[in-house]
């Protein structure tokens, strides 16, 4: 059993029956977290209003029942496994749902709240290839703008969920997000996070899903070629997966330069991936300059210091 990630809390997970697309139940999620050596896990099941056709069950859950399960089942089961459990929610934002989003986010039930975008202009990045027709940069900028909108609208602490969600499914030759491609957009996004006390989520599901090279709707298989190659500051190659650093180290450094401090680690686990890859990604973020990882308890940030890895030796000339 690997306990090298014991210091970390996975802030983004899903399980049945509260997330309809999850493939795991409570016991499986907790066991996965224990096997990954996590210190804790936050349940953040989907609350996405108006994302399915009329007449079909909404992608929402019974808050009272979920809270009961957490108190009566998750807390004692987690304690037996040495895992702290936290009660959270992932709120899906659309402009016409702002009042509902504000009401949910203001609830004192939750340890942490994730603000996410799963649909823009009635288009779902997972299902609708039309979402990508305007091209990579306009599409990605539109997504960041939408996420910034809800970040600015909700008062207090929260997590800005998977800023790179659409990258998992985008049909572009190189779907990766790079700071150099859209610096103004990312500066604006980061400044909005910082000014509104929001946490930047690093979502590992985005990383591993797109590395498999299965881009929804594109017919493209296998690895794709990065437009921007390895980092100029000589980060260690062991931090790469399929030739990529994730997230783009320029993004991490710019966030820190602007004054950003809160970064959460998220597996977005749906089927047994809680804590997937956390020790390595934490080392990588430390090498990029991040000092601590953030999770939330009773609506307040809690910081876990990172250990900076030793710098790689460079060959002498």
């Amino acid at each position: 059993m690997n306990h090298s990630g014991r210091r970390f809390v996975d802030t983004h997970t899903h399980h049945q029956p509260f997330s309809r697309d999850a493939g795991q139940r409570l016991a499986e999620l907790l066991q996965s977290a224990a096997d990954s050596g996590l210190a804790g896990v936050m349940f953040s099941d989907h609350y996405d209003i108006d994302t399915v056709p009329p007449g079909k069950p909404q992608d929402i859950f019974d808050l009272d029942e979920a809270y009961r399960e957490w108190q009566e089942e998750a807390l004692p089961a987690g304690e037996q496994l040495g895992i702290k459990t936290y009660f959270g929610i992932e709120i899906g934002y659309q402009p016409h749902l702002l009042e509902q989003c504000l009401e949910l986010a203001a609830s004192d039930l939750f340890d942490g709240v994730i603000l996410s975008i799963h649909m823009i202009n009635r288009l779902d990045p997972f299902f609708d290839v039309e979402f990508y027709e305007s091209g990579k940069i306009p599409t990605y900028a539109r997504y960041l703008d939408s996420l910034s909108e809800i970040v600015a609208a909700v008062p207090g602490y929260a997590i800005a969920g998977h800023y790179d969600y659409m990258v998992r499914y985008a049909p572009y030759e190189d779907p990766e997000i790079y700071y150099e491609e859209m610096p103004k957009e990312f500066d604006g996004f980061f400044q909005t996070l910082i000014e509104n006390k929001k946490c930047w989520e690093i979502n590992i599901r985005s990383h591993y899903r797109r590395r498999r090279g299965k881009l929804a709707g594109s017919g493209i298989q296998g690895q794709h070629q990065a437009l921007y190659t390895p980092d100029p500051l000589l980060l260690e190659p062991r931090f790469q997966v399929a030739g990529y650093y994730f997230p783009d180290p320029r993004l991490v450094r710019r966030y820190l330069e602007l004054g950003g401090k809160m970064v959460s680690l998220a597996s977005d686990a749906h089927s047994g991936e809680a804590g997937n890859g956390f020790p390595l990604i934490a080392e990588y973020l430390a090498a990029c300059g991040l000092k601590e990882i953030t999770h939330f308890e009773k609506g307040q940030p809690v910081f876990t210091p990172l250990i900076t890895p030793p710098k790689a030796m460079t060959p002498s000339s």
Side-chain angles (χ1 to χ4, degrees):
M1 187 177 295
N2 174 18
H3 292 295
S4 58
R6 179 60 74 188
R7 295 178 300 121
F8 303 120
V9 174
D10 189 340
T11 59
H12 190 151
T13 67
H14 300 278
H15 70 292
Q16 295 180 0
F18 306 112
S19 285
R20 292 190 298 118
D21 62 346
Q24 61 188 349
R25 300 192 73 87
L26 173 64
E28 296 167 291
L29 171 55
L30 290 176
Q31 188 61 58
S32 172
D35 291 344
S36 293
L38 291 175
V41 61
M42 185 173 84
F43 307 137
S44 58
D45 288 296
H46 291 295
Y47 208 96
D48 268 286
I49 304 170
D50 198 18
T51 57
V52 296
K56 292 193 175 182
Q58 291 294 307
D59 198 8
I60 61 177
F61 61 94
D62 186 319
L63 292 175
D64 291 335
E65 176 58 22
Y67 190 75
R68 181 210 64 77
E69 184 207 58
W70 173 64
Q71 284 196 311
E72 297 180 9
E73 301 179 36
L75 285 173
E79 186 175 353
Q80 288 187 344
L81 291 168
I83 300 292
K84 288 196 70 173
T85 61
Y86 304 92
F87 187 62
I89 188 171
E90 182 182 13
I91 302 172
Y93 169 69
Q94 298 180 67
H96 67 286
L97 301 175
L98 178 58
E99 290 304 316
Q100 292 96 320
C101 291
L102 290 172
E103 182 178 351
L104 282 167
S107 172
D108 60 5
L109 285 178
F110 306 115
D111 285 298
V113 169
I114 301 173
L115 307 172
S116 290
I117 306 296
H118 296 115
M119 184 171 283
I120 296 178
N121 296 332
R122 307 302 304 167
L123 293 175
D124 185 326
F126 181 81
F127 291 108
D128 300 314
V129 294
E130 301 97 318
F131 180 84
Y132 302 98
E133 287 180 348
S134 62
K136 178 180 178 179
I137 303 307
T139 296
Y140 289 8
R142 185 170 73 247
Y143 191 92
L144 285 180
D145 286 346
S146 187
L147 189 53
S148 294
E149 187 175 300
I150 187 59
V151 160
V154 171
Y157 292 111
I159 298 170
H162 44 51
Y163 73 98
D164 55 352
Y165 175 73
M166 63 288 180
V167 176
R168 304 176 187 181
Y169 317 111
Y172 311 122
E173 180 180 358
D174 181 7
E176 298 299 312
I177 285 185
Y178 306 102
Y179 177 75
E180 292 180 7
E181 284 188 309
M182 39 196 311
K184 291 182 180 179
E185 291 82 357
F186 268 108
D187 282 0
F189 173 61
F190 288 150
Q191 287 166 347
T192 302
L193 289 181
I194 294 162
E195 291 168 4
N196 291 276
K197 299 181 180 179
K198 299 304 187 291
C199 180
W200 183 28
E201 178 185 272
I202 304 301
N203 192 302
I204 311 301
R205 186 176 177 86
S206 299
H207 183 45
Y208 287 101
R209 182 159 192 154
R210 63 184 183 253
R211 292 308 179 275
R212 290 199 292 267
K214 298 177 181 178
L215 308 179
S218 70
I220 299 172
Q221 297 289 326
Q223 297 179 4
H224 41 265
Q225 181 63 43
L227 296 177
Y228 293 92
T229 53
D231 179 66
L233 296 186
L234 298 175
L235 289 168
E236 295 180 62
R238 68 189 179 92
F239 293 133
Q240 295 184 32
V241 174
Y244 292 84
Y245 291 105
F246 169 80
D248 177 7
R250 298 163 184 84
L251 285 173
V252 181
R253 293 186 180 119
R254 185 57 177 157
Y255 177 63
L256 298 175
E257 286 171 3
L258 292 171
K261 295 181 179 179
M262 292 194 295
V263 173
S264 64
L265 290 182
S267 69
D268 206 347
H270 284 64
S271 298
E273 312 102 345
N276 183 23
F278 276 23
L280 183 62
I281 196 72
E283 274 197 81
Y284 168 66
L285 293 171
C288 290
L290 186 68
K291 302 299 183 186
E292 52 200 6
I293 290 295
T294 307
H295 71 277
F296 291 83
E297 296 184 17
K298 298 181 180 178
Q300 296 299 309
V302 177
F303 301 100
T304 300
L306 289 174
I307 300 172
T308 304
K311 290 186 178 180
M313 297 294 292
T314 57
S316 57
S317 55

